Amino acid sequence: MVEAWYMDESPEDQRRPHRQRPNRPVSVEELQQLGVCSWKLDADNYETDPELAQIRKEQNYSWMDIITIHKDKLPNYEEKIKIFYEEHLHLDDEIRYILDGSGYFDVRDKEDKWIRIYMEKGDMITLPAGIYHRFTLDENDYVKAMRLFVGDPVWTPYNRPADHFDARQQYVHGLALTA
Ligand code: KMT
Ligand code: NI
C-alpha cells in the first residue's frame, strides 16, 4: 500500500516530505476516488513477474521503457527535475512502476489541495488523464522507474492552467459523479 498525506504549505526544499503537523493521512480508497490506482509488485523480478505481465495485458500497457533519475544518469537533469515538478496534466494516463529508489507524486484533490504520494521500490501507480499532478525525487535523489503506456507514448505535459482540454473536462465531470 502506498502512503499518502496532505502537504503543508512550507516553501522548503521540494524533496522534503512536507507533512502537516499533525500528519493528515490519505487512504488508498481516497486516492481511488480521485482516479489514482496503485499496486504493490515484486520489483526484483520485474522481467519475469507474471503479475506485471497480467496487468500489462489487462490494461493494454503495450509500451514500456525504464528511466533513471539521478544527476549522473539523466541528461539535462536539472531542467528535467524542474519540468517534472511543474503542475501539469496529460491527455493520457501516466503509469509508473518504481523499480529502485523512491520519490513523490503529488496530485490535486477535489478541493484543489495537494496530496503527496510516497512511491518506493515495488509501487506501481496510474494517474488518470486530466488530473493535475507533479513529481519530485525525495532526499535520496534517486529513482529508477518503468514508464508504461497504452500504444505509442505521448509525454506532453500541459502546465496549469489547462482546463480547456477534453481530458480535463471529462476528468472533472467524472469526479463530480463520484462525489
Ligand atoms: C514524469 O513524467 O513525471 C516522469 O517520468 C518522472 C517520474 S518517473 C518516477
Ligand atoms: Ni506527468
Side-chain angles (χ1 to χ4, degrees):
M1 275 208 331
V2 292
E3 192 194 352
W5 55 86
Y6 277 102
M7 290 184 75
D8 67 16
E9 310 244 309
S10 131
E12 70 179 358
D13 186 347
Q14 68 191 50
R15 292 173 165 81
R16 309 257 313 160
H18 286 269
R19 289 176 191 272
Q20 296 187 16
R21 273 174 239 172
N23 186 43
R24 287 181 60 206
V26 176
S27 67
V28 164
E29 289 74 27
E30 288 170 282
L31 292 177
Q32 272 175 19
Q33 286 187 2
L34 298 175
V36 175
C37 300
S38 58
W39 292 266
K40 190 85 178 175
L41 296 172
D42 176 13
D44 284 322
N45 297 305
Y46 71 88
E47 282 162 302
T48 53
D49 181 13
E51 226 183 315
L52 175 63
Q54 193 184 339
I55 292 170
R56 290 188 62 186
K57 195 168 161 199
E58 281 174 4
Q59 310 286 329
N60 287 317
Y61 297 158
S62 51
W63 192 95
M64 74 92 152
D65 75 356
I66 292 172
I67 183 171
T68 299
I69 307 178
H70 181 270
K71 64 177 169 17
D72 303 330
K73 289 273 170 65
L74 187 69
N76 302 317
Y77 170 81
E78 293 293 343
E79 186 192 338
K80 298 245 176 71
I81 288 289
K82 278 199 193 106
I83 292 170
F84 291 150
Y85 204 61
E86 288 280 329
E87 181 174 3
H88 65 271
L89 59 73
H90 307 282
L91 308 187
D92 303 279
D93 292 0
E94 179 166 320
I95 307 132
R96 299 290 184 269
Y97 175 24
I98 309 299
L99 301 177
D100 200 12
S102 52
Y104 298 120
F105 282 93
D106 300 337
V107 298
R108 292 284 192 182
D109 80 349
K110 292 178 190 176
E111 273 85 53
D112 222 24
K113 303 275 188 251
W114 279 121
I115 295 171
R116 175 150 278 194
I117 306 166
Y118 176 61
M119 295 276 298
E120 61 184 345
K121 183 173 175 177
D123 291 328
M124 183 183 223
I125 198 168
T126 63
L127 307 180
I131 192 172
Y132 283 120
H133 67 278
R134 63 189 180 191
F135 173 82
T136 181
L137 290 175
D138 61 22
E139 287 161 291
N140 294 317
D141 290 317
Y142 164 66
V143 76
K144 179 177 164 190
M146 186 183 294
R147 307 192 292 181
L148 297 121
F149 208 87
V150 180
D152 286 335
V154 183
W155 306 124
T156 317
Y158 296 99
N159 289 348
R160 194 168 182 175
D163 296 330
H164 59 288
F165 287 106
D166 272 0
R168 176 65 188 170
Q169 293 186 3
Q170 279 169 30
Y171 175 69
V172 171
H173 182 67
L175 278 188
L177 295 178
T178 64

